[in-house]
Amino acid sequence: MKTLIFAIAVIAITFTACQKAPITIPATTTETSSDVLPSGAHYYCNGIQVYHQHDITNFGLPQTSVVVTDQLDGAMNYYYFDNSDMAESFINSVPSFTTMQAEIKQSKAHRAYAVSIHEDEYVAEHGTSSPAFTAYLDQHKTRAFPITLFNLINFAPAPGFAVLGPTPNLVAPINNLSNSAKGAGNGPMNVHFFDAINYNPGPGVFFAVVNNIPNLFAMGWGNRISSVNF
């Protein structure tokens, strides 16, 4: 039986506008069968496991950060946090997330430099990254495996948009228009997506420690990704 969360996703993908918009699940006080979350995954809201959609109180809110992984207990796990600091604290508490922990430190350094040279203002005026920030990122390249972003759920339309490394400002055809993502190979993507350019965590961050995500919209992250670090 399809749950409400996926029914909403299918309808909204059909009619979605090409812009960011918070996505919310209607609140309810009655635990009906349609309110039960899918049994094949585990869901947590601020560290507490939940079993009903209305218990994910921060679903789709602008500052909400999400951690998605299948690396802990063999099941897909969705961790919703009120902000990126809470998500980071959780990631740092998991010993096996060493790659993601390192990437968080890298993202913080990138963001600090962007702020110091007023990179957000430069992009707003010129529509592209500044030579200074581009040169800075070139000096701090890390080994990464490519990922692919897709406009629609379930990796459509193919072949999608390849992201080959840390990207502070996604190109127009995919910026704010991603609804599914796929990594290369069999390992987890170990990537995090920002709702804003230049790795700004304020509007929300999505941490993926999983090989692919066929439906970003269904987890509150449809049409939101603007920068990528991995």
Side-chain angles (χ1 to χ4, degrees):
M1 178 179 65
K2 292 185 178 178
T3 61
L4 178 61
I5 191 171
F6 294 106
I8 291 174
V10 172
I11 294 171
I13 284 298
T14 304
F15 298 101
T16 184
C18 297
Q19 58 185 3
K20 295 183 183 180
I23 304 162
T24 59
I25 297 177
T28 177
T29 57
T30 304
E31 294 183 356
T32 63
S33 59
S34 63
D35 185 54
V36 178
L37 292 164
S39 60
H42 300 155
Y43 295 81
Y44 300 82
C45 181
N46 292 329
I48 306 299
Q49 187 169 5
V50 297
Y51 302 91
H52 299 87
Q53 295 166 27
H54 70 266
D55 291 323
I56 307 177
T57 56
N58 47 20
F59 182 91
L61 297 180
Q63 285 79 25
T64 299
S65 290
V66 184
V67 180
V68 177
T69 181
D70 61 357
Q71 306 296 303
L72 299 180
D73 57 11
M76 285 290 293
N77 291 279
Y78 298 82
Y79 299 87
Y80 291 82
F81 296 98
D82 287 346
N83 54 61
S84 60
D85 289 338
M86 296 174 69
E88 178 185 344
S89 179
F90 167 72
I91 290 172
N92 287 334
S93 74
V94 181
S96 60
F97 285 173
T98 54
T99 300
M100 184 60 74
Q101 292 163 8
E103 288 164 0
I104 288 174
K105 292 180 180 178
Q106 180 196 66
S107 291
K108 285 186 170 183
H110 291 349
R111 179 60 190 165
Y113 183 73
V115 171
S116 73
I117 62 172
H118 307 287
E119 184 67 9
D120 290 358
E121 292 87 342
Y122 184 95
V123 173
E125 180 179 354
H126 300 278
T128 187
S129 299
S130 69
F133 197 47
T134 301
Y136 169 83
L137 292 177
D138 286 343
Q139 293 174 359
H140 295 83
K141 281 184 176 179
T142 57
R143 183 179 180 182
F145 295 96
I147 62 169
T148 305
L149 298 174
F150 301 84
N151 281 136
L152 304 178
I153 63 172
N154 298 321
F155 318 116
F161 297 83
V163 182
L164 304 179
T167 306
N169 192 3
L170 287 175
V171 294
I174 197 63
N175 183 39
N176 301 336
L177 291 172
S178 302
N179 282 288
S180 54
K182 182 180 292 186
N186 297 320
M189 287 190 280
N190 272 310
V191 61
H192 51 292
F193 305 104
F194 296 79
D195 190 21
I197 62 172
N198 300 325
Y199 316 117
N200 181 0
V205 183
F206 164 40
F207 302 86
V209 192
V210 65
N211 183 256
N212 64 73
I213 300 168
N215 195 335
L216 289 165
F217 186 94
M219 49 174 286
W221 265 82
N223 297 336
R224 290 185 62 173
I225 299 170
S226 287
S227 54
V228 184
N229 192 51
F230 57 103

